[in-house]
Amino acid sequence: MRIRALIPLGLLLLALWGSATPTVAQDNKTACDPASIIKKANALTAKGDNKADMDALQKLADDIHAQSIACNGLTFTGNNSKLIGPFDLPKGNFKATLTTRARFTGRLSAITGTCLTTRSTNSSGAATLFSVTGSDALNGSEAIIRSEGCHAVIETDGVRAAYKLTIEPLESTDPSLK
């Protein structure tokens, strides 16, 4: 009888232990394969339906963007507050895009060199990269990072749900991150 009473308690403890296990943000391992996108582009044919043709072109544009990130950018994912990095940003301008359905605060701190964001900087030199609540970043919130060459980390706080953070060159003249 006592063993039956302990089973629910054991399951509860196991569930709580599993939810306390940290999830580390890490680089996305999507392979850089621009040839696959070129093959998709070469296989496109007009269907004679403007909506269908535009849908096909939008899908190709999305694939090109995803491939650009895989070849030239960084992607981090997680679901709780963690330190992201360290990573290197060469001299250039970069776009950071955060997608999440809940609260997320991230501060960019240069360990060496200089990195600035378009947002505020505190007295310790950490620049607010994102401070979103609710569904503010459901469709992606964006920020610019201007680097003079830096080795940096992103300190996250108040993370309440899964997130995806990408950093990619802002313009074609900006350097690759890989």
Side-chain angles (χ1 to χ4, degrees), residues 118-130:
T118 53
R119 320 258 170 141
S120 63
T121 302
N122 67 22
S123 60
S124 68
T128 299
L129 187 57
F130 291 104

Side-chain angles (χ1 to χ4, degrees), residues 71-115:
C71 295
N72 302 312
L74 300 172
T75 299
F76 304 96
T77 59
N79 59 12
N80 54 15
S81 299
K82 291 290 174 189
L83 186 67
I84 299 173
F87 53 89
D88 294 309
L89 293 177
K91 183 176 181 176
N93 297 305
F94 302 92
K95 178 172 85 170
T97 304
L98 171 70
T99 306
T100 187
R101 62 178 175 77
R103 185 169 180 245
F104 181 102
T105 300
R107 288 174 297 283
L108 178 69
S109 296
I111 298 169
T112 59
T114 303
C115 281

Side-chain angles (χ1 to χ4, degrees), residues 48-72:
D49 174 355
N50 286 346
K51 181 173 179 356
D53 289 345
M54 284 308 299
D55 288 346
L57 288 174
Q58 185 59 55
K59 172 72 171 109
L60 181 63
D62 293 344
D63 291 345
I64 291 169
H65 185 250
Q67 195 60 219
S68 177
I69 292 171
C71 295
N72 302 312

Side-chain angles (χ1 to χ4, degrees), residues 109-168:
S109 296
I111 298 169
T112 59
T114 303
C115 281
L116 304 170
T117 71
T118 53
R119 320 258 170 141
S120 63
T121 302
N122 67 22
S123 60
S124 68
T128 299
L129 187 57
F130 291 104
S131 182
V132 299
T133 59
S135 59
D136 292 348
L138 192 59
N139 295 315
S141 181
E142 298 176 338
I144 295 173
I145 300 172
R146 291 188 176 91
S147 173
E148 291 300 319
C150 71
H151 186 65
V153 295
I154 297 173
E155 302 169 74
T156 66
D157 185 33
V159 175
R160 299 286 188 255
Y163 66 86
K164 178 179 178 182
L165 173 63
T166 61
I167 302 172
E168 62 186 301

Side-chain angles (χ1 to χ4, degrees), residues 34-45 56-57 60 63-64:
S36 67
I37 304 303
I38 293 170
K39 287 178 187 173
K40 285 182 183 180
N42 286 330
L44 282 180
T45 56
L57 288 174
L60 181 63
D63 291 345
I64 291 169

Side-chain angles (χ1 to χ4, degrees), residues 1-61:
M1 184 85 167
R2 283 188 171 172
I3 292 176
R4 281 190 170 181
L6 292 176
I7 290 174
L9 178 62
L11 291 174
L12 176 65
L13 289 173
L14 192 61
L16 290 173
W17 177 77
S19 68
T21 304
T23 301
V24 177
Q26 54 189 314
D27 288 311
N28 187 8
K29 302 298 182 194
T30 302
C32 173
D33 183 17
S36 67
I37 304 303
I38 293 170
K39 287 178 187 173
K40 285 182 183 180
N42 286 330
L44 282 180
T45 56
K47 297 186 180 5
D49 174 355
N50 286 346
K51 181 173 179 356
D53 289 345
M54 284 308 299
D55 288 346
L57 288 174
Q58 185 59 55
K59 172 72 171 109
L60 181 63

